[in-house]
Amino acid sequence: MNQLEFNIRLYLTGVMKSWTDRIDSTDQLTPQRFILNAMTELFDSLSDDDIELLRLRYIERLTLSEVASHCHLNKATITRHTSPTVKQVKEIIRKATEQAQQASEVD
């Protein structure tokens, strides 16, 4: 499981919030808190249908073909609805990684 899939699974299952709250109970913007806040903002902007597509793909671990078949859509439609979110999650992870590296350089 790659970092992208791992973070989407953590977020959609609610585990990310409980881990983040346990790791950091302050209001400081740690990398974990940054990811949680950014993903919350992103996922709150999605439609229920788009979240369902992501859930099928990353929680149920269905292939694009299986998701398309399950939803009676073609693969291109699934990709068109999920790719922007996946790209944004990658960017969120990249920014959090940079933030963590900068913080460790300061220490």
Side-chain angles (χ1 to χ4, degrees):
M1 178 180 326
N2 64 36
Q3 192 176 29
L4 169 78
E5 183 178 352
F6 180 70
N7 278 279
I8 291 174
R9 289 174 63 90
L10 284 178
Y11 185 82
L12 289 176
T13 59
V15 172
M16 182 179 283
K17 180 169 180 7
S18 66
W19 279 3
T20 301
D21 290 346
R22 197 171 305 142
I23 290 169
D24 178 23
S25 59
T26 69
D27 288 332
Q28 292 181 339
L29 192 60
T30 61
Q32 295 85 3
R33 181 77 53 198
F34 173 83
I35 291 173
L36 176 64
N37 292 348
M39 287 185 69
T40 298
E41 185 177 325
L42 172 61
F43 279 76
D44 284 351
S45 73
L46 299 177
S47 71
D48 290 343
D49 290 340
D50 287 347
I51 291 173
E52 178 63 9
L53 296 175
L54 290 164
R55 190 190 69 72
L56 290 170
R57 183 82 172 104
Y58 292 99
I59 301 296
E60 300 299 326
R61 300 183 98 177
L62 300 180
T63 65
L64 279 175
S65 296
E66 291 169 332
V67 173
S69 176
H70 183 271
C71 296
H72 307 290
L73 299 168
N74 62 46
K75 289 193 312 187
T77 301
I78 303 299
T79 301
R80 189 172 59 250
H81 283 270
T82 58
S83 285
T85 303
V86 169
K87 287 178 185 174
Q88 286 179 286
V89 170
K90 285 179 183 178
E91 182 64 13
I92 290 166
I93 294 167
R94 185 191 65 73
K95 285 180 180 178
T97 302
E98 286 177 0
Q99 178 187 358
Q101 288 172 344
Q102 289 172 353
S104 69
E105 289 172 3
V106 171
D107 292 339

